[in-house]
Amino acid sequence: MVQIGYTMMTEQAGPRELVGHVVRAEEVGYDFSVTSDHYFPWLRSQGHSPYAWSVLGAAAQATSRIPLMTYVTCPSFRYHPAVVAQKAATMQLLSEGRFRLGLGSGENLNEHVVGGGWPSADVRHEMLEEAVEIIRALFQGGHVNHRGTHFDVESARLWDLPDEPPQIGLAVSGDQSCALAGRLADLVIATEPKAGLLDAFDRNGGEGKPRVGQLPVCYDPDRDTAIKRAHSQFRWFGNGWKVNSELPHPDSFESATQFVTPDDVAASIPCGDDPDAFVEAVRPYAEAGFTEVALVQIGGESQHGFLDWSEKTLLPALRDAFA
């Protein structure tokens, strides 16, 4: 069975709206939720980027059942890993055990704002590994001192710890990140339905652990309207993560996607109101071995219509297909 999740995409809605959306997602029956953690939107047309951790805290209080998860937080630049550990422990307490900490090596788009430069992918993976080591040490309780290649920790301690620490997921896009996730993570995160990523995760110690994917979709009763919205706000998605992790500003993504057409977007993102098209878009994730798939409905103002349609049409169709 594939669990179906809902994405609070901070790049396309304000904080109060995001909390309202996840409340409704819980009501209509989504199995879990994830939240992006950005400083910038990908494109100016998306128009938002509130602080994800404040949104998550509010969501924890406004909901009672639906699991919450960062998808994903970079613990290496904007945030020091000791602070990420404190935030995650607090979220686990606020949510009464419903929180998972999704981590990744970051994107220049969000991390450049603190002025620390943008190192190579190899260095970013080194930083992520060291950050996970610090976070796990703090989750164990007691004082932590650390003198590392990239981070120092001076007599840190988490004074409010949950009985069970949050599970840690790591985002992957290639062999190096899969090896890291297999060794260090409780679950794996990916945005492409590539079985090879999961195979590499398994070879490095990930066998039997959850694997969470993400899929953009664009519901609208008028398919042309859906395609237009998806092209306006999500045409960056097809660049691939080797490109998306390097570009520093929404205007960079505007330039990089200037020749992407609406037809290109419609070919890769299900648009409209045909549930069969959405089912077939999820199928590659199920066949690759993903146990959870979080849907991203494109367009902040379209969430309520999408969630109503999810309750009546989409979720029943997905559960019939993948139960």
Side-chain angles (χ1 to χ4, degrees), residues 58-172:
Q61 295 300 287
T63 59
S64 61
R65 175 195 61 81
I66 194 166
L68 305 163
M69 178 180 178
T70 49
Y71 204 97
V72 296
T73 285
C74 175
S76 314
F77 296 93
R78 279 183 296 153
Y79 311 136
H80 189 283
V83 177
V84 173
Q86 184 189 33
K87 293 193 288 191
T90 300
M91 268 303 304
Q92 184 75 324
L93 290 167
L94 284 171
S95 66
E96 297 182 293
R98 291 183 284 137
F99 181 68
R100 294 182 292 179
L101 177 61
L103 300 175
S105 58
E107 295 107 10
N108 196 7
L109 176 69
N110 302 302
E111 309 308 324
H112 78 271
V113 297
V114 294
W118 191 239
S120 68
D122 287 347
V123 174
R124 300 199 303 268
H125 286 143
E126 286 179 7
M127 297 175 74
L128 180 60
E129 181 170 5
E130 190 175 336
V132 172
E133 177 186 347
I134 293 166
I135 291 167
R136 286 208 184 274
L138 285 163
F139 282 170
Q140 291 173 8
H143 287 83
V144 173
N145 290 282
H146 177 89
R147 295 288 180 271
T149 303
H150 302 288
F151 302 107
D152 291 336
V153 180
E154 186 72 39
S155 190
R157 176 185 173 183
L158 300 182
W159 288 87
D160 289 277
L161 274 172
D163 293 335
E164 292 291 333
Q167 289 188 323
I168 294 177
L170 290 186
V172 301

Side-chain angles (χ1 to χ4, degrees), residues 15 17 48 53 88 109 134-135 148 159 186 193 212 240 254 273 275 322:
E17 290 75 20
H48 293 274
W53 289 86
L109 176 69
I134 293 166
I135 291 167
W159 288 87
D186 302 306
V212 186
E254 296 281 356
D273 64 352
F322 302 115

Side-chain angles (χ1 to χ4, degrees), residues 270 273-283 309 313-314 317-318 321-322:
D273 64 352
D274 179 2
D276 291 340
F278 289 65
V279 168
E280 290 311 306
V282 172
R283 192 174 303 282
W309 182 69
T313 303
L314 180 59
L318 290 170
F322 302 115

Side-chain angles (χ1 to χ4, degrees), residues 167-313:
Q167 289 188 323
I168 294 177
L170 290 186
V172 301
S173 59
D175 287 342
Q176 190 177 49
S177 53
C178 287
L180 196 66
R183 287 191 292 108
L184 300 178
D186 302 306
L187 57 130
V188 69
I189 294 164
T191 57
E192 296 176 285
K194 293 182 177 179
L197 294 174
L198 303 186
D199 291 341
F201 176 63
D202 288 346
R203 288 195 303 272
N204 289 279
E207 190 170 358
K209 297 176 182 178
R211 50 238 28 225
V212 186
Q214 190 179 52
L215 172 70
V217 300
C218 197
Y219 162 79
D220 197 278
D222 182 82
R223 186 168 185 267
D224 289 340
T225 298
I227 293 171
K228 182 178 179 181
R229 186 193 312 128
H231 179 260
S232 172
Q233 296 193 25
F234 236 82
R235 63 185 182 273
W236 56 272
F237 191 74
N239 290 338
W241 290 107
K242 288 187 177 180
V243 174
N244 288 343
S245 64
E246 300 295 335
L247 299 179
H249 193 274
D251 292 346
S252 306
F253 284 88
E254 296 281 356
S255 297
T257 59
Q258 60 183 311
F259 299 116
V260 177
T261 69
D263 287 343
D264 294 332
V265 172
S268 60
I269 295 174
C271 296
D273 64 352
D274 179 2
D276 291 340
F278 289 65
V279 168
E280 290 311 306
V282 172
R283 192 174 303 282
Y285 288 87
E287 292 177 346
F290 284 84
T291 56
E292 305 174 42
V293 179
L295 305 182
V296 185
Q297 165 64 8
I298 299 171
E301 295 181 355
S302 69
Q303 299 301 308
H304 290 292
F306 169 71
L307 289 164
D308 289 345
W309 182 69
S310 293
E311 182 176 30
K312 297 172 184 175
T313 303

